[in-house]
Amino acid sequence: MEYSEKVMDHFMNPRNVGEIEDASGVGTVGNAKCGDIMKVYLKIENGIIEDAKFKTFGCGAAVATSSMATELVKGKTIPEALEITNKVVMEALDGLPPVKVHCSCLAEEALHAALWDYAEKNHIVIEGLERPVNDIGELHEIPDQD
Ligand code: FES
């Protein structure tokens, strides 16, 4: 299995690992099939994502995609952040092996779950944001791990 240099870099030196104590929104999503869990913290002020951090019990691809996803959402508005799909993150990393694509969905879903949490806490509705799931296996067809 070949990983791009960018994936290796974000795996070896992940950005934004940790938690935000007074986070505006926190989201946790798992993948029952591989047992991995992702937690994303967002600090949102005046509609801008000022900070993003993550913690994961996930594989290397999950670490690299969350590192890149949190980098990409920082400084963005909420509608802009919603455009940062797992595909955008994968492109920013110069791709992932097909068997690892679902790992990038973990980052996207945890980000959405954190935005959902923020919306609920502030009694707002975020246009285009769907209720997050606890297990991404409910959403995506996930290939068997070997
Ligand atoms: Fe579970 Fe990558 S997130 S194998």
Side-chain angles (χ1 to χ4, degrees):
M1 191 182 292
E2 282 284 313
Y3 287 109
S4 74
E5 267 175 43
K6 281 192 188 158
V7 172
M8 288 311 292
D9 176 35
H10 279 263
F11 169 56
M12 305 290 268
N13 310 292
R15 323 316 192 247
N16 313 311
V17 173
E19 52 188 276
I20 299 174
E21 261 180 37
D22 54 345
S24 321
V26 182
T28 307
V29 176
N31 176 347
K33 208 150 190 175
C34 63
D36 292 344
I37 298 170
M38 179 69 61
K39 193 162 185 177
V40 167
Y41 302 79
L42 297 175
K43 179 89 190 149
I44 302 170
E45 264 159 33
N46 302 322
I48 305 285
I49 299 176
E50 298 285 349
D51 201 8
K53 290 204 185 302
F54 76 96
K55 286 206 290 200
T56 188
F57 291 101
C59 70
V63 170
T65 48
S66 317
S67 170
M68 182 56 94
T70 47
E71 280 291 273
L72 290 174
V73 298
K74 276 198 271 182
K76 299 279 196 300
T77 64
I78 293 170
E80 284 167 352
L82 284 177
E83 284 171 23
I84 300 171
T85 60
N86 75 306
K87 286 197 182 70
V88 171
V89 172
M90 282 195 296
E91 273 164 27
L93 287 169
D94 294 335
L96 274 179
V99 67
K100 287 283 158 188
V101 169
H102 72 277
C103 311
S104 64
C105 300
L106 206 54
E108 181 187 318
E109 287 308 318
L111 179 65
H112 288 176
L115 287 171
W116 186 271
D117 182 45
Y118 167 75
E120 280 202 324
K121 282 186 177 138
N122 291 280
H123 311 288
I124 57 170
V125 172
I126 296 175
E127 195 82 31
L129 180 66
E130 286 177 21
R131 177 178 283 279
V133 296
N134 293 321
D135 176 4
I136 61 161
E138 294 168 29
L139 281 184
H140 305 274
E141 194 55 41
I142 293 166
D144 282 324
Q145 304 296 304
D146 36 50

